[in-house]
Amino acid sequence: METIPFNKPWLTGKESDYISQSLQLGKTCGNGKFTHLCEDFFEKKLGARKCLLTTSCTDALEMCAMLAGIEPGDEVIVPSYTFVSTALAFARQGATIVFADSSTTHPDIDTQQLEALITPHTKAIVPIHYAGVACDMDAILEVANRHNLWVIEDAAQAIDSFYKGRPLGTLGHLAAFSFHETKNIQCGEGGLLVINDEKLVKRAEVLWEKGTNRAEFFRGEVNKYGWVDTGSSFLPAEYVAAFLWAQIEEIEQIQQKRKALWERYNNGLKDIKGLLLPFIPAYATNNAHAFYIVCSSLEERTALIAYLKENNIHAVFHYLSLHKSPYAVQRNWDKASLPQADRYTDCLLRLPLFYELTTEEVDYICHTIRTFYHSRP
Ligand SMILES: *Cc1c(COP(=O)(O)O)cnc(C)c1O
């Protein structure tokens, strides 16, 4: 039997058609027809003021850090249980990263502890919607508004997911999505910056286009363009946007399939004693980005990973708490003890979830996990 992989990027079949079309347009650089199709789609879907396609979610987060004017001496609150980019994008602007713990019921940031992390130097809070399940955004926005802080959503995993009926990515001042091959829709490497504050749109376009006012020039608002601000080259080539467009066209089908597989896992595992399954708060939706379980110890998780491997199933753990990372320790950002972040580091396990996974495979994985727990004292 072949091993069931953890992830397998799915191609809709239209990618190469759209890539050929984009090449025939005779302009392969960015900000062309397919880029506009993708950006317009997300502006409508989200109801966002402006969306800009980027080469990664990391890039989009770097743009957020620049737009928020983060500089040395500023403190930025980031959950410890997240991907490196969430913190890196702000650290490279010179910020001091202040790590927050996760909640006991969910890897998302524990909003009850936010207030205690705020100092006169705090500039921004960067929540991530883990597994595409919303953070308690009202609680975050309430604290942020009271202290006049930026809220930047790391919505990398949060496509097609909602908080109290509002799309994730539209609740903060800014947000960043990812189209990396491990995400629900993908183009290999890609991302999206969402701008929800009208005042930031012009500057975002400049940062995106290497610090120039090229976007205004193309709209005919100025008669020449030049260097006006900081920035970088954040826009992907047209053929990357063409690839993404093929995936966007199938987003409903992809989501339907992933949600059905997620539900099948949930039903198949829900009565195993002592095993914690994903918790979806009443204010949040589930976009089936990931199906994970929380074991009761590192020892149990290590044994389960090995058992699944023996049975040809590739399951993987996730983040290593950033507050214990070598980079954070070097910078003396590791002072806090964050028991929940450490618990998810040691005990959380992600099961295979991808478009081509079959219901039979999900049943087999559930059966194997059940057998593992039955054989343990
Ligand atoms: C995937 C991911 C990223 C990075 O996305 P890229 O597009 O690879 O830069 C950042 N944050 C979170 C929470 C992610 O899951």
Side-chain angles (χ1 to χ4, degrees):
M1 179 184 162
E2 269 188 49
T3 295
I4 302 173
F6 168 66
N7 181 53
K8 188 175 167 201
W10 182 61
L11 299 179
T12 70
K14 288 290 244 349
E15 287 82 358
S16 39
D17 286 358
Y18 289 148
I19 290 171
S20 314
Q21 281 185 35
S22 81
L23 300 181
Q24 279 154 21
L25 289 171
K27 196 170 167 287
T28 53
C29 67
N31 202 6
K33 174 185 158 180
F34 284 99
T35 299
H36 298 151
L37 280 172
C38 295
E39 291 177 349
D40 290 349
F41 172 85
F42 286 112
E43 281 164 18
K44 285 205 190 76
K45 181 176 168 67
L46 298 168
R49 172 56 194 86
K50 179 77 190 164
C51 290
L52 291 172
L53 212 58
T54 57
T55 55
S56 66
C57 175
T58 305
D59 266 7
L61 288 166
E62 286 175 8
M63 290 183 71
C64 292
M66 291 181 189
L67 285 166
I70 300 298
E71 49 186 53
D74 292 341
E75 292 176 7
V76 175
I77 299 173
V78 172
S80 178
Y81 195 72
T82 183
F83 189 62
V84 172
S85 303
T86 320
L88 173 64
F90 296 87
R92 66 195 294 290
Q93 288 291 115
T96 296
I97 305 299
V98 176
F99 291 107
D101 206 1
S102 296
S103 130
T104 51
T105 50
H106 192 281
D108 282 346
I109 198 164
D110 181 355
T111 54
Q112 309 238 324
Q113 297 183 37
L114 264 184
E115 190 82 45
L117 300 176
I118 290 169
T119 75
H121 301 291
T122 310
K123 259 310 228 341
I125 305 173
V126 190
I128 88 152
H129 305 297
Y130 185 79
V133 176
C135 294
D136 187 354
M137 289 306 292
D138 281 346
I140 293 169
L141 291 167
E142 191 276 319
V143 173
N145 289 338
R146 202 148 32 74
H147 293 276
N148 200 20
L149 307 176
W150 292 83
V151 175
I152 294 159
E153 299 172 73
D154 181 338
Q157 308 172 5
I159 202 86
D160 192 40
S161 203
F162 299 83
Y163 174 78
K164 297 184 178 171
R166 297 165 64 192
L168 299 187
T170 63
L171 298 139
H173 300 93
L174 295 160
F177 285 96
S178 174
F179 306 119
H180 183 263
E181 72 158 42
T182 51
K183 305 303 199 271
N184 293 28
I185 61 166
Q186 56 103 12
C187 57
E189 305 275 358
L192 186 80
L193 172 69
V194 181
I195 302 141
N196 297 312
D197 182 340
E198 174 67 40
K199 291 191 293 294
L200 301 171
V201 172
K202 250 194 182 153
R203 183 149 194 253
E205 288 176 335
V206 169
L207 301 184
W208 190 60
E209 283 267 30
K210 303 109 182 160
T212 71
N213 56 346
R214 197 156 171 256
E216 281 179 295
F217 173 72
F218 278 130
R219 283 196 296 265
E221 294 165 16
V222 291
N223 55 17
K224 54 183 189 296
Y225 78 86
W227 186 9
V228 296
D229 202 336
T230 186
S232 191
S233 183
F234 287 117
L235 61 168
E238 267 297 282
Y239 49 84
V240 174
F243 185 126
L244 184 63
W245 182 244
Q247 297 261 321
I248 286 174
E249 282 192 333
E250 296 300 328
I251 190 166
E252 284 192 12
Q253 185 192 334
I254 291 170
Q255 286 301 88
Q256 220 173 30
K257 181 100 187 270
R258 292 185 75 105
K259 285 179 191 173
L261 294 169
W262 194 100
E263 285 303 331
R264 203 167 178 97
Y265 268 130
N266 206 40
N267 288 327
L269 297 173
K270 69 182 173 203
D271 56 351
I272 299 179
K273 254 179 113 176
L275 190 63
L276 282 178
L277 302 185
F279 171 67
I280 316 282
Y283 53 68
T285 57
N286 170 32
N287 73 346
H289 171 64
F291 193 91
Y292 65 87
I293 59 181
V294 185
C295 300
S296 51
S297 67
L298 174 60
E299 179 276 321
E300 177 184 310
R301 187 183 71 179
T302 307
L304 178 56
I305 291 174
Y307 185 75
L308 291 171
K309 190 166 175 234
E310 277 165 38
N311 287 282
N312 302 306
I313 298 161
H314 187 206
V316 296
F317 54 83
H318 211 180
Y319 307 127
L320 304 177
S321 296
L322 294 183
H323 74 285
K324 289 193 169 165
S325 63
Y327 194 78
V329 171
Q330 261 174 41
R331 278 169 175 64
N332 207 19
W333 294 340
D334 59 324
K335 286 161 291 202
S337 153
L338 303 176
Q340 295 309 322
D342 290 338
R343 175 173 154 247
Y344 295 115
T345 297
D346 288 347
C347 302
L348 187 144
L349 182 66
R350 294 179 296 159
L351 304 178
L353 181 59
F354 51 89
Y355 187 84
E356 287 174 276
L357 187 69
T358 65
T359 53
E360 291 75 18
E361 286 171 327
V362 172
D363 293 347
Y364 168 70
I365 296 166
C366 291
H367 170 79
T368 309
I369 293 173
R370 189 174 294 281
T371 312
F372 171 83
Y373 279 101
H374 280 276
S375 70
R376 276 174 75 89

